[in-house]
Every structure is written in C-alpha cells, then in structure tokens.
Amino acid sequence: MTIVTTDGSRKAPDVVDVVALGESMVTFLPTVPGRLADVPSFERAIGGAESNVACVLAAAGHSARWVSRVGADGFGDHLVETIGAYGVDVSSVRRDAARPTGVYFRTAGDRASDAHEVAYYRAGSAASAMTVDTVDLDAVRAGRVLHLSGITAALSGPCLDLLRELTAPRPGRPLVSFDVNHRPGLWRDAAGVRVLLELARGADIVFVGDDEAREAWGLHGARAVREALPEPQIVVVKHGRGGATALGKDTDGQGEDATGTAAFVPALNVDVVAAVGAGDAFAAGFLSATLRGLPVRDRLRHGHLMAAAALTVPGDLATPPARDHADRLAALDDTAWGTLRLGPGWTEAAPRAEEEVPTP
C-alpha cells in the first residue's frame, strides 16, 4: 500500500510480481454429498478467482499482492488472515464497517452437473463498493502483472468503472491479465457480454473458455476468439479436458501468428477429486511461466500442471508442485506428456527422473 511518512510525503508501494484485484468470499463446503437442503454441516474455506491466483503464485515462490475490500467482521478477518498465510501481501485490503464480507455455500458435486447448487450471499458486500476512490491505485499498479476478472465488473457499476480505469491504455501500466469468467447470474442485463468483450480487448493477456466464448459471444474455435480480440498480446482459449490454445497477436494481417506464440497443449490425464479451482490455477501457472520468460508451450504446460494440482484436492486451492518438479514435467516430450497421469498427492511426490512418467 502507499505509505505516508512522518514528514507527510508518500512512499511508493513495493513492486511485486503480480497484483490481483477482486472479491474473495468465505466458502462453506458440505461435509457430505447431497442437496443443500439435506447437508447437516459445512467446513469453512475461502473462494475468489483473483485471490486464488495470488495464493497459488505466492505458494509457487512469486511475490503477490491481493487488493480488495472486506467487511469489518469475522469473515473478513478470516479472509485476510488465510490469504496472508499463503505469503500474499494483504496490506492494501481495506475494511468496510458498513458492508459485510460475502459468503457462499455449495454442494460437493461437479459444477458442470445439473445437481450442483451454489447459494451466494454477496449482494451489497464490501467488495462491491470498490471504486477508483476506495482502493489504493498505486498499490494496484505496482506489479509486473495486474490480474483481473470479469466477475469484478459484474459486482456493481463502480466496480465496472474501476476495471475500465485499470484496463485503459496508459504509459507505464503493468501487463494486464484478464480472465473473462463469464457468470451470467451475476449480470443484471444482457449488456454484460459486451462489457466482457470490451474489457478483454483492453488487456494484454486474456483467458477464456471456449464454452464461455460460445455462450457469451457466439464464437466457435480459438481462431474466432483471437479475431474478435485483436488487441491483446496473447489470448489463451481453454478447451476443458481437451487442452488449451494460446494465440499471439496477428502481425502480418493475414490471420497468421507472426510472433512465434501460437501453440496447443493437450490437458493432462488427472484423477479428479473435485472439479473446482482449476481455471484459476491454470491462469496462475501460465502467469508464473510468463513472469519467468518461458516459451508459450511451457506456459500452457505449467498452466495444466497447476490445474492438475487443484483438481486433485477437495477445495479451490492446492499446494503447487516444487518449481524444479514442474519444470521437469513441462520439459517432457509430447509422448511422455500424453501418457502422464496425475492423482491425489502428486505435488508432494519426489520427482524420479525418467521413471516419474507412469502410463495408464
């Protein structure tokens, strides 16, 4: 955060690898499967797309800052303390005495199934009161990468104004990463899909699922998404269990990537424990590799590895693999990558050179 010294001058905030701005909520996870009406008890966790990315990056050895607003309540205390425990700088999180911290409850089932239920209690939350005046913009911009998502834009008009300010072109702004995160239930009208397209076009790195692109914009295929988003340096289109495609900017005017940043990497074979948190973890892995200057294929592979870590634990957040372990797996040849299978506990397993590649 920006510090005012004893002589009244302002000290610039420390520059970190990644700043993530957005709402985090206290999440209540069921102790047994079933309808919310039938679940007798819940365990407390945290959930928030942007704070998830910050936590994973901090756990992976990067400096990360989370910027948001929470209520002056116990749930706000829990969020700040828990996210801070991952090594994330939470000094720029502001407390709101007039608004509560958001919470939500969900069932244990896969989010993609019809039986999955989520009950949000976030209307009027402290985070929805984020504006250009109620967040420390100096702290927000003091990062090599600024990570945002479309969820924040849907929380309120002032939140949307804030994201427009942060994605506006200006000299010296950080590299802006934007995860579309289309959540139709959060938007009050059909204008949301146009807003998400506008914000994505203002970013430098964009993450979007091909299912989101079809639902929101009627776009089919990675190339169609890239053509609809000509401005970003790189667009990453996620194909779920199929893999992910990254496309650099078209610099020759012929629809071809002339930057050497076009790649498709298939997803890993994973013994899934819970299909939650994978998208945020993928973004964190991709951004980690981007910060390290790795080639685009390896950025996608690190994204898949971080997603595999999230998929093999019950909650949204998982311990990432050690960097040297992830680097060794990311360097596998295509055949070995295609036969690799990861299950619960794989991130704690000691790498075993060539023998660490099991076949199904």
Side-chain angles (χ1 to χ4, degrees):
M1 65 185 298
T2 303
I3 298 173
V4 179
T5 62
T6 54
D7 62 2
S9 61
R10 296 171 66 83
K11 180 182 177 182
D14 292 337
V15 176
V16 295
D17 289 336
V18 176
V19 176
L21 177 143
E23 180 173 36
S24 189
M25 294 179 289
V26 173
T27 309
F28 289 95
L29 308 175
T31 55
V32 295
R35 302 183 311 153
L36 286 179
D38 301 327
V39 174
S41 60
F42 296 81
E43 294 180 348
R44 185 179 62 178
I46 64 171
E50 300 85 0
S51 60
N52 284 348
V53 170
C55 288
V56 174
L57 284 166
H62 294 278
S63 55
R65 173 181 297 131
W66 174 52
V67 178
S68 188
R69 290 175 68 84
V70 298
D73 50 35
F75 290 146
D77 293 341
H78 177 64
L79 286 175
V80 172
E81 292 166 6
T82 303
I83 294 170
Y86 279 87
V88 176
D89 174 10
V90 293
S91 62
S92 296
V93 178
R94 294 185 174 174
R95 312 302 290 260
D96 190 327
R99 297 176 180 84
T101 303
V103 301
Y104 74 95
F105 297 76
R106 69 171 174 84
T107 51
D110 188 332
R111 285 177 178 170
S113 72
D114 292 337
H116 182 68
E117 298 175 73
V118 181
Y120 288 105
Y121 299 91
R122 73 194 310 176
S125 69
S128 69
M130 287 190 294
T131 72
V132 293
D133 298 316
T134 61
V135 300
D136 186 342
L137 292 182
D138 290 337
V140 171
R141 291 181 170 129
R144 295 171 61 194
V145 173
L146 170 59
H147 183 68
L148 308 168
S149 93
I151 294 172
T152 305
L155 297 181
S156 67
C159 281
L160 173 54
D161 292 340
L162 174 61
L163 258 63
R164 282 175 167 151
E165 167 66 20
L166 295 174
T167 56
R170 65 177 67 252
R173 83 170 193 183
L175 191 76
V176 175
S177 164
F178 182 73
D179 193 334
V180 172
N181 264 325
H182 180 222
R183 301 288 188 270
L186 289 179
W187 291 95
R188 292 167 293 281
D189 55 47
V193 295
R194 296 191 299 274
V195 168
L196 292 174
L197 188 65
E198 168 202 336
L199 294 172
R201 293 182 66 176
D204 300 300
I205 300 173
V206 175
F207 299 97
V208 63
D210 54 7
D211 55 343
E212 292 178 296
R214 286 193 303 272
E215 182 179 4
W217 304 323
L219 300 174
H220 298 267
R223 181 60 65 182
V225 177
R226 172 77 263 193
E227 291 173 353
L229 300 172
E231 295 87 356
Q233 293 180 17
I234 193 163
V235 174
V236 180
V237 181
K238 298 173 291 183
H239 312 294
R241 295 180 180 177
T245 300
L247 293 171
K249 184 176 291 190
D250 173 14
T251 58
D252 64 3
Q254 303 300 315
E256 297 295 330
D257 171 41
T259 65
T261 56
F264 166 78
V265 172
L268 291 161
N269 299 305
V270 178
D271 296 327
V272 176
V273 172
V276 294
D280 301 331
F282 179 94
F286 189 94
L287 292 176
S288 173
T290 299
L291 286 161
R292 296 170 59 202
L294 300 183
V296 69
R297 187 209 69 163
D298 290 358
R299 299 183 204 181
L300 291 169
R301 285 193 170 190
H302 277 277
H304 286 314
L305 288 165
M306 290 293 197
L311 290 169
T312 50
V313 298
D316 286 24
L317 291 168
T319 301
R323 183 172 292 183
D324 59 346
H325 188 185
D327 283 344
R328 293 178 64 178
L329 294 180
L332 293 172
D333 62 39
D334 290 345
T335 299
W337 178 266
T339 57
L340 183 64
R341 189 176 193 94
L342 301 173
W346 75 270
T347 60
E348 288 84 24
R352 306 189 309 275
E354 299 303 322
E355 293 80 20
E356 70 183 343
V357 185
T359 55

